[in-house]
Each structure stands twice: as C-alpha cells, then as structure tokens.
C-alpha cells in the first residue's frame, strides 16, 4: 500500500467523518459548550456517568463465555471468576438456543457435529442448575443469556428459578438480560424467529415484570454492538439504539401501568461496540450519554438526574480480530479496551485473541481479563474522570456524531419507527451498504490491516491453534442423554399443563413471563417452549428486499 494512500484514507474516521489536521477553539460551536462545561456525573453526562468515575468504582470485567456441556460452562465461569472477572455471562449454543430447538430436532440432528461449538447446550432448567452450581447467584452480577427476544424469557426464567430454588429473593439479585433486535434481525440467519412485533411484546413483558419485582435487574439491553458488527457505522449505531429505546419507552407507556420514572432504569443500560478507530469510539460513548439525557428530558419530561444517566457496557469488536497472526489481536483488544475506558464505560468485555478462529480458549480469556486488569492497576487511567474532556478534536467529533446520530434517528422515525425499519428491510440495507464499503476498503488495500493486507511475513513464527473444547458429537450425545432423562423423570402431567397454560397466555394479551417461569419449573424443555411460541405466534417471514 502506498504511504500517501494510507495517509489519505486516514483523513476520515471509520464512519466517514472528514478530519482536519488540527483543531482549535474555533471548532467548538456554542452547542458543544453545555457538555464541555458540565461536570462528570451531571446532565447531560457527556463527561461521564458518575462524578469520580473509576476513582470511586472501576468498570466491571464482564467476559462472554460458553461452550459444550453445562459442566464445561460451570468450570469456565469458575475459572474466569478466579482469574478476576467481576461479572459473569452465560453464552448459549446458537443452534439450539437462538431457535429454541431440542437437540433431537431434525435440523440439530443433521448438524450434530456443530452442537456446543458456539456456546453451552441446555435442554431445560436442570442444566441451568448445573451451570450455576457453586456460583454465588445472590452476590454476582450475571447476564444469563437470551441474546434474541424469543430465547430471553426462557434463559432469564431459568436463572431466576435457580435463585428462587436457593431461597434468594428475586428483588435481591442483580444482572441483565439482552433480548436484542440487532442480533436477531440484522446479525443472524432469520430462521424460525418470532415476528418483530411479537418480539417487542416479549420485551415489554420483561420490562413490566421486572419493574414490578426486580429493581436491580435490567430486563433488556439494546446491543448496538450487534448492529455495528453487522455493518452500522458509529452514528448509525447510535441512532438505531435510541430508536429501539423509544419503541420500548412508548410501548411501556402505552400499556398504562407505569410512569416513565418507574421503568426507565430497566431500559437505560445499553451495549456498544468499540473498534479500532479509537477517537471516534471514545466520542461515540460520550455522545450516547448526552443523546439519552437530552431525549429523556426534552421528549419525556424526565427531571431526576439519576434517571437521565445512561449506563454503558462495551464489547470490543470481534470482527476486528484476524485469524492471520492472531497474537496481534491482543494489541487490538488493548486498543479497543482503552477506547471503552476513555469513553467512560461501566463494564467491558474484551474479545479473545483467537476469536476469528474459534470460541476463546482459557488462555485467550485470561489475556482478555489481564488486559483490563493492567489498564485498571498499572496505567493510572482510573485517577481522573474524562481525562480527554476539553480536547478540541474530541469535543468536535462528539458533537458531529451526535448531530449525525440524531439525523439517522429522525430518518428511522420518519419511516415508521425502529420495528418498521426492521420489518421492511431498510435498516438491514443500511448495515449491508456500510459493511460492503468497509470490506471493499480492506480488499483494495485502502484500509490496512497489519498481518492481513500489510506488513506480511512468510513465517508467522508462533502457530496459534484454534480452541476445540468438547466435540460437537460428544456435546450432542450428552445433551440427548440429559433430554431423555428429563423426559423420563419429570411429571408429564405437570409439563403438559404448563405447556397448555403457556399457549393460552401467548394467545391472550397477558404477560408471558409468569407462564414461561411456570413452564421451566415444570421441566418443560427448551424445544417445547419454542414449539409453543411457533404454534401461537408463527415465524417471521422477512420482506423480499432483505433477501435481494
């Protein structure tokens, strides 16, 4: 790649914002000064969610992990906690969990060699008890899985049921769900997923249920990460996240049960991605807090500063990890983690250096934790809140991202709102267009990726092997044994009753969460819950434009 071409390509941010060689006072418009002159922990929260930030509380180390059997998941969680992780995330097998299939479903049997390679396989509540065996559910912050809306009621109900069986009051446990539209309708094959409007109903049910019973639980976490890794640029990620949040707010208010101050905490914990454009991603997190604060104040009349505070979880971009020279990814993970910290995240997961090859190995997970621990303990980053605040360049970039994000949000609303742009394929078109441009930049060499299209060497020196874990066939065999045993030993009468009750609840307008809780506690399997959803709600048929 020509050095001049490299220089020219880096005069734009990753999302295409033009960059000047230098910035000065003239680059701070009056509209920026409100955020610049505020203090961290005060509206509009541009400079941080809390007054002292990491001096008073470090960010949570929160790694995504899972493979194989529930026993494998349990051992991995204990390993991560021992290594210094301060929150746990359960990663489920994508084939069975996303689609709510039992392992004897024909499509799973056909691909049994892939079972458990993308997360742990569960057949019902008993497996969740194994996953959480010896884990202090009452003390640890947990994301129990449920990335897509149709799996969220199942996974969260399993986790809550484990807590209940241990005698732990649900209002005492803390954690977060996800139930993300981006993962479901932008980032994954849309096979046997409930329609978007049914997914919205599920998420509103979770918000209602948790508002009444679980003040320390975040029922849904909008994952801009999944939108960004599907192609959305920084400002598009911001605009789409808040368009999604508006659907939740308006939908919950329309039910008439709660005022916004009652439930907004359960929506105000979101998930963003940081990638390799370090300054743009720092600016993105700062802009996100300001957009949220202004949105709640100006549109919904929220005045309590605590309610205006956006809480951010960041995951570093798995899509930025390369299978060529994978140890370079430790450096990439560190850069992306630094962006998250300088942007003021509340929790952070660093992608494993071997993520382009496999699910992370124990060593890759340990390196991801060590990156964060080194940043926390050896860099003095925690000493000062918003250390880059006031930078002419950063403040200008924050304002530019906010402006572009609000324009994108307005375009989504003009098209009928977030769910409408999912249903008609428009949002996927935006993601695909941006992703193809990014791919083209790498293919042509306009964007250099060290070890991939620049600075190539003939000998990689260190050969990193992909993590294999338990074989798919073995994970499938074990899951089949557990499924057979569950069906043999449960009360069939109780399971049939719970399934009938679940179907009845789904056909009504009542909250579905209690019926799913009842079902998992009656040992109804994940596939039987999925069949109930498919029978009553149907599967989504995407618009033709999505496949064109």
């Amino acid at each position: 790649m020509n050095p001049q071409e490299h220089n020219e390509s880096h005069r734009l941010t990753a999302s295409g914002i033009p960059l000047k060689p230098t910035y000065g006072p003239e680059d701070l418009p009056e509209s920026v000064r409100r955020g610049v002159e505020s203090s961290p922990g005060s509206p509009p929260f541009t400079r941080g969610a809390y007054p002292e930030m990491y001096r008073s509380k470090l960010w949570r180390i929160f790694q995504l992990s899972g493979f194989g059997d529930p026993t494998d998941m349990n051992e991995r969680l204990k390993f991560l906690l021992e290594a210094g992780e301060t929150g746990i995330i359960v990663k489920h097998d994508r084939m069975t969990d996303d689609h709510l299939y039992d392992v004897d479903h024909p499509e799973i049997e056909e691909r049994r060699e892939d079972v458990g390679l993308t997360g742990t396989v569960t057949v019902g509540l008993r497996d969740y008890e194994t996953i959480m065996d010896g884990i202090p559910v009452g003390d640890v912050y947990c994301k129990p899985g449920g990335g897509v809306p149709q799996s969220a009621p199942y996974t969260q109900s399993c986790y809550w049921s484990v807590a209940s069986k241990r005698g732990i009051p649900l209002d005492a446990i803390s954690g977060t769900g996800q139930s993300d539209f981006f993962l479901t309708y932008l980032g994954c094959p849309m096979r046997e997923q409930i329609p978007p409007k049914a997914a919205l109903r599920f998420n509103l049910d979770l918000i209602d249920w948790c508002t009444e019973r679980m003040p320390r639980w975040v029922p849904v976490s909008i994952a801009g990460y999944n939108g960004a890794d599907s192609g959305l640029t920084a400002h598009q990620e911001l605009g789409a996240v808040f368009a999604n949040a508006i659907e939740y707010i308006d939908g919950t208010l329309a039910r008439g049960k709660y005022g916004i101050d009652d439930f907004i905490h359960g929506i105000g914990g979101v998930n963003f991605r940081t990638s390799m454009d370090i300054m743009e991603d720092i600016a993105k997190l700062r802009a996100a807090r300001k957009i949220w604060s202004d949105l709640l104040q100006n549109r919904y009349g929220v005045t309590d500063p605590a309610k205006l505070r956006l809480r951010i979880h960041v995951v570093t971009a798995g899509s930025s990890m390369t299978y060529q020279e994978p140890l370079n990814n430790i450096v990439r993970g560190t850069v992306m983690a630094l962006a998250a910290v300088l942007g003021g995240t509340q929790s952070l997961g660093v992608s494993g250096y071997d993520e382009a090859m496999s699910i992370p190995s124990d060593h890759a997970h340990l390196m991801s934790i060590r990156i964060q621990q080194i940043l926390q303990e050896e860099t003095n980053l925690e000493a000062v809140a918003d250390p880059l605040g006031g930078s002419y360049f950063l403040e200008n970039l924050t304002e530019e991202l906010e402006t572009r994000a609000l324009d994108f949000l307005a375009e989504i609303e003009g098209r009928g709102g977030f769910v409408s742009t999912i249903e008609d394929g428009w949002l996927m078109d935006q993601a695909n267009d941006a992703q193809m441009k990014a791919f083209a930049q790498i293919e042509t060499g306009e964007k250099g990726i060290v070890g991939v299209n620049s600075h190539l060497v003939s000998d990689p020196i260190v050969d990193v092997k992909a993590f294999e874990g338990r074989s798919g066939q073995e994970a499938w065999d074990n899951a089949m044994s557990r499924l057979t045993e569950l069906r043999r030993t449960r009360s069939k009468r109780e399971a049939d009753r719970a399934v009938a009750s679940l179907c009845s609840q789904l056909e009504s307008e009542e909250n579905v969460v209690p019926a799913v809780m009842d079902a998992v506690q009656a040992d109804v399997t994940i596939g039987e819950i999925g069949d109930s959803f498919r029978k009553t709600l149907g599967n989504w048929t995407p618009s033709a434009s999505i496949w064109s």
Side-chain angles (χ1 to χ4, degrees):
M1 181 168 54
N2 183 292
Q4 181 63 30
E5 292 177 339
H6 176 85
N7 186 45
E8 289 296 326
S9 71
H10 284 73
R11 294 185 182 185
L12 300 175
T13 68
S15 64
I17 296 174
L19 298 177
K20 297 167 54 175
T22 61
Y23 288 77
E26 69 279 6
D27 297 301
L28 293 186
E30 191 62 36
S31 60
V32 173
R33 298 191 181 277
R34 174 170 160 257
V36 174
E37 294 172 358
S38 66
S39 299
S42 300
F45 299 101
T46 309
R47 302 196 57 210
Y50 299 96
E52 294 188 347
M53 289 299 292
Y54 307 131
R55 181 178 285 211
S56 59
K57 184 178 181 181
L58 291 169
W59 67 89
R60 179 180 291 112
I61 299 175
F62 207 34
Q63 293 293 133
L64 178 65
S65 178
F67 70 97
D69 292 343
T71 53
D72 298 322
M73 182 76 252
N74 177 260
E75 290 170 5
R76 176 62 67 84
L77 290 177
K78 289 176 178 176
F79 165 76
L80 294 173
L81 288 169
E82 183 180 1
E85 185 176 61
T86 51
I88 59 174
I89 304 177
V90 178
K91 177 71 170 67
H92 287 269
D93 174 61
R94 300 296 302 275
M95 291 173 58
T96 52
D97 185 78
D98 281 7
H99 306 298
L100 296 179
Y101 289 157
D102 282 329
V103 288
D104 60 355
H105 188 284
E107 294 207 12
I108 304 300
E109 288 191 317
E110 186 177 336
R111 296 178 54 198
R112 64 182 68 181
E113 69 277 4
D114 295 330
V115 169
L117 300 186
T118 57
T120 194
V121 184
T122 66
V123 302
L125 174 58
R126 297 181 191 183
D127 282 349
Y128 236 96
E129 292 181 280
T130 300
I131 291 170
M132 292 298 155
D133 183 48
I135 304 292
V137 170
D139 300 321
V140 70
Y141 192 92
C142 178
K143 177 188 168 189
V148 302
Q150 70 179 15
S151 73
Y154 162 75
T155 54
Q156 294 193 62
S157 291
C158 284
Y159 184 74
W160 298 336
S161 295
V162 170
S164 295
K165 292 180 77 170
R166 293 186 188 180
I168 302 170
L170 293 185
D171 61 6
I173 63 173
S174 59
T176 181
Q178 184 166 322
S179 198
D180 180 50
F181 273 78
F182 295 108
L183 180 63
T184 313
Y185 304 111
L186 256 65
C188 289
M190 288 156 283
R191 188 175 183 82
E192 296 218 343
Q193 297 294 322
I194 59 176
K197 284 188 172 64
L200 179 61
R201 172 201 170 176
F202 277 17
N203 284 0
L204 297 180
D205 284 351
L206 285 165
I207 292 166
D208 276 0
W209 200 86
C210 292
T211 298
E212 182 176 342
R213 297 169 178 83
M214 301 182 69
R216 301 177 63 192
W217 194 268
V218 178
V220 295
S221 179
I222 303 169
Y225 173 96
N226 294 319
D229 247 29
S230 298
L232 295 180
T233 64
H235 74 270
Q236 291 173 334
E237 179 187 1
L238 285 168
V241 162
F242 294 117
N244 192 172
I246 287 168
E247 294 268 15
Y248 293 159
I249 294 171
D250 290 348
T252 303
L253 289 173
R255 291 186 170 194
K257 191 174 180 180
Y258 300 107
I260 192 167
D261 283 347
D262 299 321
F263 66 80
I264 197 62
H265 178 271
I267 300 173
V270 299
N271 172 325
F272 287 109
R273 184 189 77 161
T274 54
S275 191
M276 292 300 290
D277 192 327
I278 186 169
M279 294 303 290
E280 182 167 71
D281 283 324
I282 294 169
K284 178 175 70 178
L285 303 188
R286 301 172 90 248
R289 288 189 294 270
K290 183 174 185 296
I291 292 170
W292 182 246
S293 177
D294 288 350
L295 175 71
L296 294 185
Q297 280 186 299
N298 299 334
R299 184 178 295 200
Y300 296 103
V302 177
T303 57
D304 181 352
K307 309 289 186 183
L308 300 173
R309 178 184 293 121
L310 185 71
R311 307 174 316 282
I312 295 174
H313 171 61
V314 167
V315 182
T316 62
S319 59
S320 291
M321 300 306 197
T322 68
Y323 67 86
Q324 304 95 329
E325 299 185 23
L327 292 182
N328 294 346
N329 295 330
I330 297 176
V331 180
R332 294 186 178 102
T334 303
V335 169
M336 293 186 282
L338 183 62
V341 172
L342 290 173
T345 190
Q346 276 60 68
S347 60
L348 175 61
V350 176
S351 301
Y353 66 77
D354 53 3
E355 188 161 320
M357 302 184 295
S358 64
I359 60 171
S361 64
D362 283 354
H363 185 260
H365 267 309
L366 182 61
M367 289 301 97
S368 294
I369 291 173
R370 292 294 186 247
I371 286 169
Q372 299 196 53
Q373 291 169 329
I374 289 168
L375 289 177
Q376 288 183 346
E377 298 184 23
E378 299 184 25
T379 64
N380 219 25
L381 275 173
E382 85 289 353
V384 177
D386 190 33
L388 298 184
S391 156
Y392 297 130
F393 170 41
L394 181 61
E395 300 298 352
N396 178 279
L397 187 55
T398 300
E399 194 268 345
E400 181 64 26
L401 279 173
E402 178 188 0
T403 298
R404 293 185 179 214
L406 291 174
D407 288 344
F408 193 69
L409 169 59
E411 186 165 8
I412 291 173
E413 292 197 288
R415 292 177 174 272
F418 179 76
V419 171
S420 292
T421 62
I422 291 285
E423 291 177 325
D424 66 14
W426 181 83
L427 191 59
M428 178 171 277
D429 288 344
Q430 307 310 301
N432 287 344
D433 288 349
Q435 192 167 60
M436 293 308 296
K437 288 177 183 176
F439 286 162
Q441 289 175 336
I442 296 172
E443 287 293 320
T444 61
E446 180 183 350
K447 178 178 176 60
I449 308 293
V450 174
V452 176
N453 65 0
S454 70
H455 305 290
L456 304 181
V457 295
S458 57
D459 182 358
I461 302 174
V462 177
D463 187 21
V464 176
K465 301 293 185 184
F467 175 70
E468 295 183 0
R470 191 181 297 277
S471 73
Q473 180 67 54
E474 184 181 6
W476 184 86
D477 288 339
N478 293 345
M480 273 299 301
S481 296
R482 298 195 310 276
L483 180 62
T484 301
E485 177 67 8
L486 183 150
R487 288 171 175 164
R488 185 184 69 82
T489 58
R490 71 183 179 180
S491 166
K492 187 175 184 305
R493 177 180 295 178
E494 270 297 289
D496 289 346
R497 176 204 57 77
V499 167
S501 176
L502 174 58
C503 289
S504 176
Q505 201 84 335
L506 287 163
E507 290 169 346
S508 74
E509 295 183 359
E510 296 299 312
N511 194 307
V512 72
V513 176
V516 179
M517 286 276 283
D518 178 49
V520 300
Q521 291 173 8
D523 282 329
V524 175
T525 69
I526 183 174
E528 291 165 342
I529 291 173
D531 288 342
S532 300
F533 291 172
R534 287 182 277 274
K535 174 183 175 183
T536 55
L537 303 173
N539 289 316
W540 184 44
T541 302
S543 70
S545 68
I546 290 178
W547 303 116
S548 61

